């Protein structure tokens, strides 16, 4: 696709008393908040030459989010997003940035589903059985994901915050059964 030829114009800055921030973390380092400058602008994208009779031009919005300052232990955040969703205001642009920031959590959930539950290793052959298995795997994946996020935000939380007493006893039994000498966990981080 080709962008319609026009003289370049700068993206419109979003002015407001408070710039948005996102939660950022480098690897296993300490998390911090990144303050972002946000700019956005509508563009019109034309279909390739020769396809213009088959496909319409698209009106899209470019959203550019760039972190202010230099972070010490991670790369500076700079996102360039292209969307066909409506962006009429600074609030709309921030909303789309917040959605984009959630992508890592979605990827963690899918990693748990794929690698932790080994959903792709299933040997089930009927759609009904596969749907039932994936439904159970989604529940398990969600619980593991939730405990992972809870442990990241509150590593000293008690296990009862995420697990029922029967679940804790079952996990204690399973860990002892594998040869480990485990007592009731004192903090959720020990369970993770």
């Amino acid at each position: 696709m080709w962008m319609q030829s026009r003289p370049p114009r700068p993206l419109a800055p979003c002015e407001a008393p408070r710039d948005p921030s996102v939660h950022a973390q480098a690897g296993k380092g300490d998390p911090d908040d990144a303050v972002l400058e946000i700019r956005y602008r509508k563009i019109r994208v034309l279909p390739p030459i020769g396809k213009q009779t088959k496909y319409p031009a698209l009106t899209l919005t470019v959203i550019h989010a760039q972190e202010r300052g230099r972070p010490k232990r991670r790369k500076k955040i700079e996102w360039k997003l292209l969307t066909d969703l409506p962006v009429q205001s600074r609030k709309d642009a921030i909303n789309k940035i917040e959605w984009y920031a959630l992508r890592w959590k979605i990827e963690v959930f899918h990693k748990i589903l794929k690698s932790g539950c080994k959903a792709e290793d299933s040997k089930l052959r009927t759609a009904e059985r596969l749907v039932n298995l994936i439904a159970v795997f989604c529940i398990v994946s969600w619980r593991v994901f939730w405990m992972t996020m809870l442990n990241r935000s509150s590593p000293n939380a008690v296990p009862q915050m995420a697990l029922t007493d029967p679940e804790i006893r079952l996990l204690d039994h399973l860990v002892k059964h594998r040869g480990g000498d485990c007592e009731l966990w004192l903090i959720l981080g020990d369970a993770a």
Side-chain angles (χ1 to χ4, degrees):
M1 291 191 177
W2 300 94
M3 288 179 39
Q4 187 172 358
S5 166
R6 284 189 197 166
R9 291 187 325 204
L11 296 174
C14 298
E15 295 177 15
R18 190 175 78 73
D19 285 312
S21 66
V22 293
H23 201 62
Q25 184 172 355
K28 297 199 182 267
D30 293 329
D32 64 342
D33 288 330
V35 177
L36 302 176
E37 279 184 29
I38 303 210
R39 294 173 167 24
Y40 62 94
R41 178 170 178 239
K42 287 190 186 299
I43 61 169
R44 187 175 166 166
V45 180
L46 299 175
I49 296 173
K51 304 272 185 176
Q52 292 179 354
T53 56
K54 280 183 143 179
Y55 301 103
L58 300 174
T59 300
L60 304 172
T61 302
V62 177
I63 303 172
H64 183 217
Q66 186 172 15
E67 184 173 5
R68 286 189 179 170
R70 281 264 170 230
K72 293 178 184 170
R73 294 175 297 274
R74 60 176 173 73
K75 287 173 59 175
K76 186 174 181 173
I77 293 174
E78 183 171 6
W79 295 334
K80 294 174 185 169
L81 310 177
L82 196 58
T83 183
D84 64 346
L85 296 171
V87 179
Q88 304 297 329
S89 66
R90 179 178 191 278
K91 183 178 176 183
D92 291 343
I94 290 170
N95 184 253
K96 303 313 180 270
I97 293 292
E98 288 170 346
W99 290 355
Y100 185 71
L102 292 174
R103 80 190 190 289
W104 292 114
K105 290 183 180 181
I106 294 166
E107 289 190 27
V108 168
F109 173 80
H110 282 103
K111 181 180 179 183
I112 293 166
L113 183 63
K114 185 176 176 180
S115 302
C117 292
K118 301 197 182 298
E120 292 179 339
D121 293 349
S122 170
K123 303 288 188 227
L124 300 177
R125 297 190 188 274
T126 67
E128 183 181 354
R129 288 179 180 174
L130 192 56
V131 165
N132 291 338
L133 180 66
I134 290 174
V136 170
F137 281 171
C138 282
I139 293 167
V140 170
S141 296
W142 169 249
R143 289 289 303 272
V144 171
F145 171 77
W146 178 52
M147 287 190 290
T148 301
M149 295 298 120
L150 183 60
N151 186 46
R152 286 182 184 172
S153 65
S154 303
N156 295 324
V158 295
Q160 288 79 0
M161 199 167 177
L163 301 167
T164 64
D165 287 334
E167 290 170 331
I168 292 170
R169 284 194 302 276
L170 175 63
L171 288 171
D172 279 339
H173 175 75
L174 291 173
V175 171
K176 285 180 185 177
H177 184 70
R178 290 184 173 203
D181 186 24
C182 181
E183 299 175 5
L184 188 67
W185 303 308
L186 298 177
I187 62 171
L188 185 60
D190 294 338

